[in-house]
């Protein structure tokens, strides 16, 4: 296996980690409006991700940085052609971080309510847009012979990509509801399980339609296996939720996300960004990659730094592993 193939796999792993971790993160943000009944319950939900949300976003920075260094042509075409949706995602992540930090800085009702609205919308919008972005990458976009995107923003809003946006929104929200059931105690835990069952049913329908569409358009035997794993894991997560086994449910919903991302990248390879104008103009792991020397240096750096990051982040989750409920929330001043 060549180094550019290795880095294609590593980038797929980074996106898997990001969607697995930031997926429930976004889901919790959406649930602050769908699940929480009052400010105290919203504080419970926000506190479940309070120690980890910023660490989860490190995976996005790593995926973007790895793409820039390993496949500069892919990075350039992607970030220029998808400039508007990616800019909206970036702005949402900035506002979302500020909202988490500033929400409780002042006691006024309007101040806290406005920041809570911001948390909801800046969680929902990226959850949709990531599906739209990856839907277009898998489907193929208008790339010319100079590796430049020649389409418009409206070209990105096609039925396949919009369905992908709905899938990521429902899948992340379901993942977040399962996480809420795993991390909370009392009445909110029971309601999180009930909501997860409803969200799971909707997610299964949308995800199956999207995955089957993907398989029929671009799939092969390997992507078919990934699709089967994603579907089975999603159904298993719903079954475990119904049985009250939140740990298993969360693990299986994570497997469903990982298998879905794996299917995306399996349908892409050896392309990294297919051209809908001419197959010969597609960006591939070969024509979009950096030099072998650059990839070699990157591999050594990643081999040293990655285990340290994984150990630290795993330790963070272990430290903040206990459930919380409204009884743990102090009354507002």
């Amino acid at each position: 296996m060549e180094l550019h193939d290795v880095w294609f796999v590593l980038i797929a792993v980074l996106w898997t980690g990001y969607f697995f971790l930031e997926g429930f993160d976004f889901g919790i943000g959406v649930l602050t409006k769908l699940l929480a009944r009052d400010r105290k319950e919203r504080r419970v939900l926000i506190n479940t991700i309070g120690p980890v949300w910023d660490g989860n976003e490190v995976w996005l920075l790593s995926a973007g940085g790895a793409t820039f260094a390993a496949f500069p042509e892919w990075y350039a075409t992607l970030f220029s052609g998808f400039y508007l949706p990616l800019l909206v995602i970036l702005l949402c992540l900035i506002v979302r971080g500020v909202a988490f930090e500033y929400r409780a800085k002042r006691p006024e009702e309007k101040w806290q309510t406005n920041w809570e609205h911001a948390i909801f919308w800046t969680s929902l919008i990226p959850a949709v847009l990531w599906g739209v972005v990856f839907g277009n990458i898998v489907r193929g976009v208008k790339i010319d012979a100079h590796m430049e995107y020649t389409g418009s923003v409206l070209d990105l809003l096609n039925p396949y990509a919009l369905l992908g946006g709905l899938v990521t929104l429902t899948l992340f929200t379901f993942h977040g509801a399962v996480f809420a059931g795993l991390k909370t105690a009392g009445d909110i835990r029971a309601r999180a399980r009930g909501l997860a069952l409803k969200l799971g049913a909707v997610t299964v329908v949308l995800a199956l339609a999207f995955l089957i569409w993907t398989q029929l358009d671009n799939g092969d035997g390997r992507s078919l296996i990934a699709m089967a794993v994603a579907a089975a894991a999603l159904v298993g997560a719903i079954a475990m939720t119904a049985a009250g086994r939140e740990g298993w449910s969360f693990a299986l919903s994570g497997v469903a996300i990982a298998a879905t991302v794996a299917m995306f990248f399996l349908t892409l390879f050896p392309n990294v960004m297919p051209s809908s104008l001419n197959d010969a103009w597609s960006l591939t792991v070969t024509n979009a990659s950096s030099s072998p020397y650059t990839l070699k240096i990157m591999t050594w750096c990643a081999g040293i730094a990655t285990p340290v990051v994984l150990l630290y982040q795993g330790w963070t989750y272990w430290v903040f592993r206990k459930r919380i409920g409204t009884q743990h929330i102090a009354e507002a001043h």
Side-chain angles (χ1 to χ4, degrees):
M1 180 182 287
E2 300 289 338
L3 279 179
H4 51 66
D5 297 330
V6 171
W7 274 97
F8 180 83
V9 174
L10 291 176
I11 288 172
V13 171
L14 290 172
W15 280 111
T16 300
Y18 174 67
F19 286 137
F20 175 81
L21 297 172
E22 192 84 314
F24 71 76
D25 207 324
F26 287 143
I28 290 293
V30 174
L31 291 174
T32 57
K33 296 294 185 183
L34 300 184
L35 179 62
R37 290 176 173 173
D38 53 31
R39 171 146 297 127
K40 182 173 282 191
E41 290 191 350
R42 282 193 288 275
R43 290 169 65 191
V44 169
L45 291 176
I46 292 171
N47 285 356
T48 63
I49 60 172
V52 298
W53 67 267
D54 47 355
N56 293 344
E57 293 183 358
V58 170
W59 288 79
L60 173 61
L61 299 176
S62 300
T67 303
F68 172 76
F71 299 99
E73 295 292 349
W74 182 15
Y75 182 93
T77 304
L78 175 65
F79 280 79
S80 59
F82 292 55
Y83 181 81
L84 183 58
L86 292 176
L87 177 63
V88 172
I89 290 173
L90 177 61
L91 291 175
C92 284
L93 295 180
I94 292 172
V95 173
R96 190 167 179 265
V98 174
F100 282 132
E101 298 296 333
Y102 276 66
R103 179 187 57 86
K105 295 297 184 182
R106 290 171 57 179
E108 291 88 346
E109 179 80 13
K110 185 176 180 180
W111 171 273
Q112 296 192 5
T113 299
N114 287 338
W115 285 121
E116 287 165 0
H117 288 322
I119 290 172
F120 171 76
W121 287 109
T122 56
S123 298
L124 184 147
I125 293 172
V128 174
L129 289 181
W130 279 127
V132 173
V133 167
F134 271 85
N136 279 289
I137 292 175
V138 172
R139 175 178 174 267
V141 292
K142 296 178 180 179
I143 300 174
D144 64 15
H146 303 289
M147 298 184 179
E148 295 180 359
Y149 177 72
T150 60
S152 66
V153 173
L154 293 179
D155 291 326
L156 303 179
L157 303 179
N158 55 80
Y160 176 79
L162 292 175
L163 177 59
L166 291 177
V167 170
T168 50
L169 173 61
T170 54
L171 182 56
F172 290 167
T173 308
F174 169 71
H175 194 43
V178 172
F179 181 76
L182 179 66
K183 286 289 293 178
T184 58
D187 179 60
I188 193 171
R189 176 188 178 188
R191 285 189 284 113
R193 285 206 307 263
L195 182 58
L197 291 174
K198 297 176 183 177
L199 290 169
V202 176
T203 304
V204 165
V205 174
L206 293 175
L208 283 179
F210 182 71
L211 294 177
I212 291 172
W213 191 345
T214 304
Q215 179 64 26
L216 292 176
D217 276 357
N218 305 298
D220 56 16
R222 297 172 303 173
S223 62
L224 181 61
I225 293 173
M227 184 186 78
V229 171
L234 190 54
V235 172
I238 296 171
M240 289 296 102
T241 299
R245 304 291 297 272
E246 290 107 337
W248 280 103
S249 180
F250 181 69
L252 287 170
S253 65
V255 170
I257 292 174
T260 300
V261 177
M263 185 179 181
F264 286 165
F265 280 87
L266 287 170
T267 56
L268 276 176
F269 188 81
N271 295 324
V272 294
M273 206 165 176
S275 172
S276 60
L277 300 177
N278 189 326
D279 288 341
W281 297 342
S282 296
L283 302 184
T284 68
V285 293
T286 303
N287 65 19
S289 69
S290 294
S291 67
Y293 181 74
T294 300
L295 297 177
K296 185 176 180 180
I297 296 298
M298 288 176 60
T299 304
W300 278 104
C301 294
I304 296 171
T306 302
V308 177
V309 174
L310 291 175
L311 286 171
Y312 174 76
Q313 194 161 24
W315 176 76
T316 302
Y317 277 91
W318 174 256
V319 169
F320 295 100
R321 66 189 181 277
K322 293 184 178 180
R323 295 179 181 271
I324 62 172
T326 54
Q327 68 274 19
H328 299 118
I329 303 297
E331 294 295 333
H333 296 292

